[in-house]
Amino acid sequence: MRRGGTIARQALMVRVGRRNAESGRAATATRAEVIYTGAEHGRALGPSVPHLAIPAVVEEAAPASLLPGEHTAARKVRFAIVNGCTIASLALGLTAIFLAMHGDVRLAAACLVACVAFDGLDGALARKLGVSSPFGAQMDSLADMCSFGLAAPVVVYASLAHSVPTPAAAVACVLVAACAAIRLARFNVSPKDGKFFCGVPTTMVAAVLAVSVLIGLPLPGLALLGGVALLAFAMVSSFPYAKLARLVRLPAWLWLLPIVGALVDARLTFVMVVVTYLLSGPVLWMRERRTA
């Protein structure tokens, strides 16, 4: 009986030992899995192993499209034509700078007038052909800065070099460039108004400066210098100025006055038209304040 009991107890101890060994091996395996995964019950039990970490999936950003909508061959051609007009305006602006550097001031002014024409053409074509895009708007703004913010002041500086002190001419032209940059940046970030401009557009200022040089206004140098500074400040003013679409709707007799005046004295009529337009901004501003 004693021998039988002893044998039973030994068998029980063997079974218990096997269970403890199996439990130890399971615990070791579990701990190895915890070390691999890096956490157990929300707390880290050991340093993470970089080469065992699962790499995160990084989604590649889709490239930005310069032309929204369908990318058909016809739309691409129309898109290229519109941006070609913008580049032509940019090239004419640079040509105006080169000509002014060589003393061909009037020919440079004629290039600026052509810049104005191409600047109006690219926007009209973009809307008509249905290829308007944020890329085209940025291209137009950069070309405007080159042609109207830089080329126009250079041409004006070359035309004023012998009639006013050089430092005064330089300051006035730098003022035009700075105000043009401010005007273009403000236009890009401001809400658009379909009826009025906020300040005189850079395109119109460049056109006025170019035509002034082209026709050779018979005014003293200081008067021309004051006019250049006035146009610069008009660009960054907050006065509302009517757009061309509203000006076209004016009564016919109002258009007859400048036409008749141009037949009598084109230079004086040009000055009067420009002054009238510049004064229309403060007048409209006062009118809005009274009705508000």
Side-chain angles (χ1 to χ4, degrees), residues 182-208:
I182 294 172
R183 174 69 173 78
L184 290 170
R186 186 179 68 180
F187 178 80
N188 289 342
V189 300
S190 299
K192 305 302 181 286
D193 187 349
K195 298 180 180 179
F196 298 99
F197 292 114
C198 182
V200 179
T202 55
T203 306
M204 191 170 296
V205 169
V208 171

Side-chain angles (χ1 to χ4, degrees), residues 73-94:
R75 292 193 80 238
K76 289 181 179 179
V77 170
R78 294 196 293 267
F79 185 70
I81 291 174
V82 171
N83 286 281
C85 292
T86 306
I87 294 174
S89 176
L90 177 65
L92 286 168
L94 288 173

Side-chain angles (χ1 to χ4, degrees), residues 68-280:
E70 297 180 351
H71 285 194
T72 60
R75 292 193 80 238
K76 289 181 179 179
V77 170
R78 294 196 293 267
F79 185 70
I81 291 174
V82 171
N83 286 281
C85 292
T86 306
I87 294 174
S89 176
L90 177 65
L92 286 168
L94 288 173
T95 304
I97 293 176
F98 301 150
L99 291 171
M101 292 171 61
H102 288 85
D104 298 327
V105 180
R106 291 199 173 183
L107 187 56
C111 287
L112 286 179
V113 174
C115 282
V116 174
F118 274 102
D119 181 69
L121 183 62
D122 64 357
L125 283 177
R127 291 186 293 271
K128 185 175 182 62
L129 298 179
V131 289
S132 299
S133 66
F135 170 80
Q138 296 301 321
M139 275 285 295
D140 183 70
S141 181
L142 293 173
D144 286 354
M145 185 59 206
C146 177
S147 300
F148 308 140
L150 295 179
V154 170
V155 173
V156 171
Y157 176 82
S159 67
L160 294 176
H162 303 292
S163 58
V164 298
T166 301
V171 169
C173 293
V174 168
L175 187 64
V176 172
C179 291
I182 294 172
R183 174 69 173 78
L184 290 170
R186 186 179 68 180
F187 178 80
N188 289 342
V189 300
S190 299
K192 305 302 181 286
D193 187 349
K195 298 180 180 179
F196 298 99
F197 292 114
C198 182
V200 179
T202 55
T203 306
M204 191 170 296
V205 169
V208 171
L209 293 175
V211 173
S212 301
V213 174
L214 195 59
I215 65 179
L217 293 178
L219 296 174
L222 291 178
L224 293 174
L225 198 63
V228 171
L230 179 62
L231 288 170
F233 286 118
M235 280 191 287
V236 296
S237 69
S238 299
F239 296 135
Y241 286 94
K243 294 186 176 182
L244 183 60
R246 291 180 64 86
L247 295 176
V248 172
R249 299 172 187 172
L250 292 175
W253 62 271
L254 284 177
W255 286 101
L256 289 176
L257 291 178
I259 293 174
V260 173
L263 296 175
V264 178
D265 191 338
R267 295 174 178 177
L268 180 61
T269 303
F270 173 75
V271 172
M272 295 301 297
V273 169
V274 172
V275 171
T276 302
Y277 186 75
L278 290 177
L279 291 177
S280 67

